[in-house]
Amino acid sequence: MFLAWKEIRHSKAKFGLIISVVALVSYLVYFLTSLAYGLASSYTNGVTKWKADEIVLTVDSNNNVMMSFMNNEDYDSIDVQDGKRAKLGLFPAVIKDADDDTKDTREEIYVFGIEENSFIAPKEVITSGLEDNEIIADSGLKELGYAVDDNVRVAGTSLTWKIVAFTEKATYQTAPILYANLATWRELRYGSSSSDSFSAVVVQGTATLSSDTPLQVYSISEFISNLPGYNAQVATFSIMIGFLIVIVAFVLGIFIYVLTIQKTSMFGVMKAQGISNLFIGNSVVAQTIIITGIGVAIGLILTLISGYFLGGFVPFAINPLFYIGITIAFFLFSILGGLFSVRAVLKIDPLKAIG
């Protein structure tokens, strides 16, 4: 370790450039991974917030919650043992600022119709409540200038709703979610709040259906995987990021290998002075760990800084497990590159090495 750190301090410019390369490639991988994970999460944040196990839809809906039409009779036919069930209405819309027509605040959103006492209601419902024509909105709408007590108009209708609170990470298929009570949702969906219709039943636990009911149970993972474009998006980014990690880690290993081989004459002199192979090998591995550790740490810090400033503009999300896996891959390939170079160094004839 002493020799490795001594050389780094002696050749600051050379090792500074090497560490910069490691930092930049690690920053690239960390940042792209966070973007891919953030985009995938923006599809499902509103669903994962339910912390549910299953969702019940009508058979004819073909797993499309917006084409599922249920009523209280369907709800009563669903039995949940040791769990909970909750009605859900879902429908897309476009909103704009009802108080200022001069601003372009139009935004595509999804309206979730919920019951105030249901487990799928965000915690802000307990604080603010949900009266008719009141909504709780995803905090992403703040970027468009919306604030608490603002009124929004649903495009193409005469409906006007009031924002009573904001909630975090409430998106569905990348669009913000507005939570409303079922009466408000029915007014949007059917033009009347007098019906008992809704879209689905969300279940914590296991749902049991009557034999003659036209309903079907899906696990939450099945429901998410059938969201339009979700699987294709996740598969594309997973393959891209996976290949990127392997290629960058492999290049990093080769980089360390070449760096070590360039010091053949120096190692020859050390062997001629009687320094053991173990000491030389340990110094190479230690130097590899130091270079990789500093570079990866800088790349990770740059990623977190970028996420802080860009979080409101791009779908950026942090997953510690992904970061740990990427870091392990970097260290593994770097150390392997160092070990291969050590193997070559140990075979050096000191007299040949020093010319």
Side-chain angles (χ1 to χ4, degrees):
M1 181 66 75
F2 170 77
L3 179 62
W5 185 246
K6 188 86 172 178
E7 185 183 3
I8 292 174
R9 292 182 60 188
H10 177 72
S11 305
K12 295 184 180 67
K14 181 179 74 173
F15 283 98
L17 290 174
I18 295 170
I19 291 173
S20 297
V21 172
V22 177
L24 289 174
V25 296
S26 61
Y27 171 60
L28 172 66
V29 176
Y30 284 133
F31 188 69
L32 289 181
T33 301
S34 297
L35 289 180
Y37 179 67
L39 186 59
S41 298
S42 67
Y43 254 72
T44 61
N45 280 332
V47 176
T48 54
K49 284 186 74 170
W50 297 338
K51 297 181 180 179
D53 301 301
E54 296 176 342
I55 186 170
V56 182
L57 307 173
T58 56
V59 173
D60 294 336
S61 68
N62 194 29
N63 197 26
N64 186 337
V65 66
M66 287 181 288
M67 298 305 297
S68 177
F69 303 94
M70 302 175 65
N71 53 37
N72 288 335
E73 184 178 348
D74 296 319
Y75 181 78
D76 294 335
S77 68
I78 302 170
D79 183 38
V80 180
Q81 295 291 336
D82 300 324
K84 301 177 183 177
R85 56 183 177 170
K87 297 176 182 178
L88 170 71
L90 194 152
F91 200 65
V94 175
I95 61 168
K96 59 182 180 180
D97 194 330
D99 300 321
D100 189 352
D101 290 333
T102 62
K103 294 191 298 182
D104 184 11
T105 53
R106 289 174 296 180
E107 183 72 7
E108 295 183 12
I109 53 90
Y110 282 93
V111 181
F112 278 19
I114 58 173
E115 296 175 308
E116 290 186 40
N117 58 351
S118 70
F119 69 89
I120 64 173
K123 61 182 181 181
E124 289 79 8
V125 172
I126 300 175
T127 305
S128 305
L130 273 179
E131 301 294 332
D132 290 351
N133 299 320
E134 290 185 345
I135 55 172
I136 292 176
D138 172 51
S139 58
L141 290 180
K142 292 179 182 179
E143 301 295 332
L144 293 178
Y146 289 106
V148 173
D149 293 332
D150 281 358
N151 293 312
V152 300
R153 180 178 293 111
V154 181
T157 73
S158 59
L159 297 176
T160 300
W161 298 335
K162 180 181 179 181
I163 299 175
V164 295
F166 287 99
T167 185
E168 298 293 329
K169 293 183 178 179
T171 54
Y172 180 77
Q173 295 189 47
T174 73
I177 294 173
L178 302 184
Y179 293 93
N181 62 28
L182 282 172
T184 302
W185 175 82
R186 287 168 182 149
E187 186 71 25
L188 167 68
R189 182 69 174 90
Y190 303 108
S192 172
S193 59
S194 59
S195 70
D196 64 350
S197 298
F198 52 93
S199 302
V201 175
V202 183
V203 176
Q204 275 187 347
T206 303
T208 304
L209 305 179
S210 303
S211 58
D212 58 343
T213 185
L215 306 177
Q216 187 168 348
V217 180
Y218 298 90
S219 67
I220 293 297
S221 59
E222 289 174 337
F223 175 72
I224 289 175
S225 66
N226 282 291
L227 292 176
Y230 178 79
N231 278 341
Q233 173 188 276
V234 170
T236 300
F237 279 106
S238 296
I239 293 172
M240 182 184 72
I241 297 298
F243 273 106
L244 179 63
I245 292 172
V246 172
I247 292 171
V248 168
F250 187 68
V251 170
L252 191 58
I254 295 175
F255 196 72
I256 297 296
Y257 176 81
V258 173
L259 174 67
T260 305
I261 292 299
Q262 285 181 338
K263 297 183 289 185
T264 298
S265 59
M266 184 186 74
F267 290 132
V269 172
M270 293 173 64
K271 293 184 70 173
Q273 291 177 336
I275 297 176
S276 67
N277 289 335
L278 179 62
F279 184 86
I280 295 174
N282 286 339
S283 68
V284 172
V285 174
Q287 191 174 84
T288 300
I289 293 174
I290 292 172
I291 292 172
T292 306
I294 296 175
V296 166
I298 294 173
L300 185 56
I301 291 172
L302 290 175
T303 302
L304 297 176
I305 293 173
S306 300
Y308 177 79
F309 287 103
L310 298 176
F313 304 98
V314 295
F316 183 95
I318 294 173
N319 188 319
L321 292 179
F322 287 168
Y323 286 177
I324 291 172
I326 293 169
T327 303
I328 291 174
F330 282 160
F331 274 101
L332 179 62
F333 278 85
S334 298
I335 293 174
L336 285 176
L339 291 176
F340 275 114
S341 61
V342 166
R343 186 170 177 269
V345 167
L346 295 183
K347 294 181 179 179
I348 295 173
D349 184 339
L351 294 179
K352 291 182 180 179
I354 61 179

